[in-house]
């Protein structure tokens, strides 16, 4: 398996899922601005959208989109329980879709994108409150998004990290802040974050040079 990723981008959720389930993959770093992989190849040849994550399976099939890739990784190790079966799978998909469409794309992409106009950023900030309040209500009563750690938590902790990067104080949503801290106490999450933080800093230094 090969996972195309960019440091601290949404693809970090897939790295967390791999570590949580003890799976190996070749991790290939992508410069999503230049659309080049680490050996200089054209990333558009791998994914015509030029986006991470992109997964190439052992059967050489290409899979894109966080929601699909995360469930694929989880389903290779069903015993670990990163994606429950039966009725609970719909609940998992509910949270994955919420994170993908309501948080990742509506709120965080306009705030993180230096090319997004101020109007788009103001719109994203306005949308943030009710979405974070929804999370706050849920995480006030539950330790995880479902009844145990799943790939939805891997995705959520990845996205919440961008709030920190944007200097948005999570203390405004105390249960979310506690959840974020608790997730980092998981060895797989801590390992994935520290590895990607080092890669992120190296990439920033390269760009600044
Ligand atoms: N719909 C895709 C979006 C993935 C996405 O937004 N990836 C970002 C990194 S977090 C990216 O590759 N951005 C570069 C670009 O869109 O050109 C998914 O959910 O997997």
């Amino acid at each position: 398996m090969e996972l195309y990723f960019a440091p601290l981008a949404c693809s970090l959720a897939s790295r967390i899922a791999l570590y949580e389930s003890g799976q190996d993959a070749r991790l290939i770093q992508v410069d999503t601005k230049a659309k080049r992989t680490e050996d200089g190849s054209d990333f558009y040849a791998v994914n015509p959208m030029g986006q991470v994550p992109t997964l190439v399976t052992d059967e050489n099939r290409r899979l894109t989109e966080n929601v699909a890739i995360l469930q694929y990784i989880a389903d290779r190790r069903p015993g670990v329980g990163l994606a429950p079966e039966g009725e609970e799978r719909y609940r998992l998909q509910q949270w994955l879709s919420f994170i993908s469409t309501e948080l990742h794309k509506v709120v965080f992409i306009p705030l993180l994108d230096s090319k997004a106009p101020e109007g788009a950023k103001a719109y994203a900030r306005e949308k943030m409150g009710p979405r974070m309040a929804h999370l706050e209500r849920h995480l006030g009563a539950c330790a995880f998004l479902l009844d145990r750690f799943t790939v939805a938590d891997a995705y959520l902790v990845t996205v919440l990290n961008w709030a920190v990067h944007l200097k948005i104080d999570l203390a405004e949503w105390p249960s979310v802040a506690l959840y974020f801290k608790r997730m980092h106490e998981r060895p797989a999450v801590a390992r994935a974050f520290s590895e990607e933080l080092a890669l992120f800093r190296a990439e920033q230094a390269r760009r600044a040079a």
Side-chain angles (χ1 to χ4, degrees):
M1 226 172 15
E2 290 176 338
L3 175 68
Y4 289 82
F5 78 98
L8 300 184
C10 53
S11 45
L12 170 60
S14 294
R15 183 191 288 261
I16 293 172
L18 288 169
Y19 293 172
E20 284 278 350
S21 55
Q23 298 183 64
D24 282 332
R26 190 170 151 235
L27 293 154
I28 302 170
Q29 189 167 336
V30 177
D31 181 335
T32 51
K33 287 198 174 37
K35 305 296 179 197
R36 297 270 155 203
T37 62
E38 57 200 26
D39 68 0
S41 323
D42 180 11
F43 182 52
Y44 282 124
V46 179
N47 178 344
M49 289 285 289
Q51 290 182 323
V52 294
T54 301
L55 190 88
V56 180
T57 69
D58 290 343
E59 296 74 31
N60 204 28
R61 283 198 288 267
R62 235 150 268 200
L63 203 54
T64 61
E65 302 296 324
N66 283 290
V67 172
I69 291 174
L70 288 169
Q71 291 183 76
Y72 178 85
I73 293 171
D75 285 341
R76 292 180 88 234
R77 292 288 183 278
V80 179
L82 289 180
E85 287 306 319
E87 284 272 309
E88 278 299 277
R89 181 58 71 102
Y90 303 114
R91 190 66 62 199
L92 176 76
Q93 289 179 346
Q94 173 193 302
W95 281 115
L96 287 172
S97 301
F98 172 78
I99 299 162
S100 175
T101 61
E102 303 297 336
L103 290 177
H104 180 174
K105 286 295 163 179
V106 170
V107 174
F108 285 103
I109 291 296
L111 294 179
L112 288 165
D113 188 342
S114 56
K115 291 199 211 105
E118 194 39 54
K121 290 186 189 292
Y123 178 85
R125 274 193 292 270
E126 185 192 310
K127 296 287 169 189
M128 183 174 211
R131 283 152 182 77
M132 292 299 284
H134 177 56
L135 275 181
E136 176 66 18
R137 276 190 298 274
H138 184 76
L139 294 172
C142 308
F144 303 102
L145 289 172
L146 273 73
D147 63 353
R148 59 173 179 272
F149 186 91
T150 65
V151 286
D153 297 297
Y155 196 5
L156 182 56
V157 74
T158 296
V159 167
L160 289 176
N161 184 53
W162 300 335
V164 178
H165 178 76
L166 288 161
K167 305 208 174 358
I168 294 166
D169 191 358
L170 287 180
E172 195 179 327
W173 306 278
S175 302
V176 176
L178 266 176
Y179 164 88
F180 185 67
K181 188 168 171 288
R182 235 181 17 253
M183 289 302 109
H184 278 78
E185 287 160 9
R186 298 180 69 85
V189 174
R191 177 184 163 206
F193 265 98
S194 78
E195 288 175 359
E196 292 218 357
L197 183 60
L199 293 169
F200 179 78
R201 288 187 174 140
E203 186 176 67
Q204 298 289 98
R206 259 194 321 274
R207 283 190 179 143

